[in-house]
Structures are given as structure tokens and as C-alpha cells.
Amino acid sequence: MSENVTTLINESPCAQPGGGGPLTYDFDRSEFWRSIPLWRDVDSKTFGDFRWQQRNSVTSIPGIKEALCELASSALISDIEAGLLKTPMNIRLTPYIFSRIHWENFENDPIRRQFLPLGSQFVPDHPQVMDDSLAEDVDKATPHLTHRYPDKALFLPITLCPVYCSFCTRSRVVGGSTAVKSKSAYGAKSKEWDSTFEYIRNHPDLEDIVISGGDALLLRPDQIRQIGRNLLQIPTVRRIRFATKGLAIMPMKFTSDNEWVKALDDVCRLGREKMKEVALHTHFNTDREISSWTSEAMKVLSDTGVRVRNQSVLISGVNDAFDCLHYTTKKLSSLLIQPYYLYLHDMVPGCDHLRTTVREAEYLSNRLQGAIAGFNTPRVVCDAPGGGGKREISSYTLYDQEIGVSAWTSPTAKPNEIFYYYDPINKLPEDGRVIWSKHGEIKRRLAKFKSDAESKAEATRT
Ligand code: SF4
């Protein structure tokens, strides 16, 4: 085991209780938001109202200063200002997630790290990062539908989210323009969705439809019904899933927005009548995002019968340690949230300080297997850049750890193509970093690697 990996294991940012023995699952019942000066006098009823959460979301530097008052040191503010000049994502945090940050340790806090960029923590982008790393736009069948796999499609009806994550894979379209990225916003235009329903109707191979964005949490109740009914009425569609980070960043949506929950409940009922699955896919990265508000939300969702699964991203300094992943996975499972995927961070701009290497992901995958019941063990995957789709983390064709490049094939989605993932240069061994600094040397090394990968892939095909 390398020293680097050992360090990561010992420095878990999670709040897992130590000491061995059976794990206990504590769900924070304290009024933790009162540690934020602006919300010192906010009572539980107000804090638990989704409208209040939306109205009081923190979206700017003045908003951060106003919320933190004396806790907002000039060093913190100038570091965030410097970060905003480098990131493709704007600031948006709900009061819930803002107050889950331990501000006394903001530099290393795993929640702050996901939502608020610090200029001092950025590293230069890898030369191979791409705006549309997963080539979703290339596989577009309608303006709002990506169709890559034979039986599954990705419906993107909205570009808005209740929070903006620094690591977002759709930073090219989600969350408004920033100093380094201009975007055209379209929100959620339900009149434009008919061509998507029509396309799905005309492609009977499509059984699974993912409804993502943006975030399905910001779809209106009538839009949830419109999408749910239209899709479930198509005889060949068997399963639909709404993707939302809501449970992790605004769980009170599910306990206080009765209309929205009723719409989801109606869609679930229709699904049961038709023997079709309706699922909600959410996105927790650490156990710090889980509190008693989450367990209350899950009680409400359990009543609807919706199946809830979790898709995480492996993020450096957030959850790239075995004990953190293990505890978060177990804690989610205890709430009937099934851990589903753990993604290697996509190769998108402004994120190299957050990415990990394939080697680290592979190590963590090996540790997780056997530590948790199989059906609650997340599949650790690389979403192969360029549109190869999700590949098991150990299924690469070839991997050169020194220069951090791995080759992947995708025989079903894109036969005859090879996809390359590049580890962040700052995580490579010294020799690898030196090679990347020499243009001619890295060019030769990559050419040799790609030639070897092609030979190996060809041998596997025949
Ligand atoms: S909630 Fe999802 S789509 Fe929205 S910013 Fe975060 S990662 Fe991106």
C-alpha cells in the first residue's frame, strides 16, 4: 500500500464514532443551524419549512458575510472570492447544508469543500479535461434527451438546482454563468418535452428513463405528474427514476411540501398499478449530510413506496477514505437508502483539486467489497470520458499509474472505441509529474500507451 493511500485512510473527514465494536447510527437532533449567527433565533418550525430554506439560500459573498457575521474572517472571504474567479459553478447553498459546515475548520470541512471553492485549493486543470466529459451532448436524441445505451435514456427537463456543487459534471449548462464560463439558462420548459415523450414512444427498446437535470426537486408538482404519467403510460417503459440531491441538502422539502410529495405519491401509485418501478436517486457523499431531518424525510418517502437509491462521487478530501465510505454506506442503508454507485470524479474543468486517481478508487472498491451486504455495496465506476458509459473500476484495458492514464472499452454502448481517463497530475508520483511537464516526452509516452491499449483491446475482441 502506498504512503498516500495510508494517509487517506487515517484521515477520514467523516464523523464515524471510533473505538471498534458495532456501529451506531446517530442522527443529529440538535438545532445545529443556531451556530450560524444569522439564524441564531430561527426556530425548528421555520427551519423545517422548504419555502424558508429556498428564500434564505446563500448565493453570494455578501450572503456568506451576512450569515456568518463575526465567523467570516477576511482570509476566508478573500479565499472564496479568489475561488469564484476560477470555478464554472456559482454559489448556492440551502441554510440546511450551509449550517452542516463546521466553520471553525472551514479549510478541511468536507461539506464546504463540495460547495464553496477556495482559490488557495485550486490546481491547474489537466490538459485533457472537457466541458462535456461524458459526451452527453453528442448522444442527444432530442434537445432534452441523451440516448446512449440500448434500453436506457437520460431525460434532462431542467437546468436549475437548489444548490450548486463545485464538482458538477454538467457545469457547462447548470447553475448560471461565472467568471470563467458563460451558459444559457433554460430552466424547465414543459411545453418543449413533447418531442422527448414522442421519441421514447417510438423507441420500444427504451425501458429505463432517468429524469435528471439540474434537479427534479425544482420541478413543480404538475410537472412531476406530467413526466411521471407520460412515461408510465408508454407500454414499453418499465422503470423511471427521478434524480434529486434534495434529501442531502434540503430534506425538509419532503416533510413540508405536501403538494410535491402528493404528486410523487400519485406517480408511485400509477407505477404500482402498472407493475412499474418508480425510484428516486439521491446524492449523499458523506454522513455529515445526514441528520434527523433526513430520517424524517425518509419516513415520508417510505409511505409513498418510492425506491430510494444513492449515487455518490468520490471526492478528494471529502469521502476518499475507507472508514468514511463504509460508515456513510452503512448509515444510508439503515435509512433504506440503497447505495448504488460511487463514481470516479468526472474530468470536468475546475475540479482537479477534487479528483482522485483510478488507483485510489480501485483500492477503496476492494476494501468495500465484503464489508457490507452485497446489495448495499455501491458499484465503484468510471464513467468513461467521451461517452463510454459506466465501467467497473477494475475493468480497464490498460493502466499506466506513473503518468495516470487508463484505457477503457465499452463493447455494448460503443463497440470498437477506446476511452481514456486521466488521473489528476497533482496526485501522480513525482516521475509522472515530471513527464507531464515535458511536452515531447508525454506525447511519446501517450502514443505508446494508446498503441498498446489498442492492441490489447483488439486481442480481446477477437
Ligand atoms: S445537484 Fe447535481 S446537477 Fe445540481 S449542481 Fe449538484 S451535481 Fe450538478
Side-chain angles (χ1 to χ4, degrees), residues 189-208:
K189 295 182 184 164
S190 43
K191 287 192 182 119
E192 291 181 4
W193 300 340
D194 284 349
S195 63
T196 294
F197 299 134
E198 190 58 23
Y199 178 89
I200 297 169
R201 233 173 260 126
N202 292 333
H203 287 78
D205 282 352
L206 284 175
E207 296 187 355
D208 282 88

Side-chain angles (χ1 to χ4, degrees), residues 59 79 313 431:
T59 60
D79 215 351
V313 179
D431 287 352

Side-chain angles (χ1 to χ4, degrees), residues 2 4 357 359 401-404 424-438 441-442 445:
S2 79
N4 191 19
T357 62
R359 177 181 58 86
Q401 295 191 28
E402 189 173 54
I403 57 168
I425 291 174
N426 64 311
K427 291 275 181 68
L428 298 181
E430 174 66 22
D431 287 352
R433 291 201 295 268
V434 170
I435 294 170
W436 272 101
S437 70
K438 296 178 178 167
E441 203 169 329
I442 189 62
R445 185 78 173 252

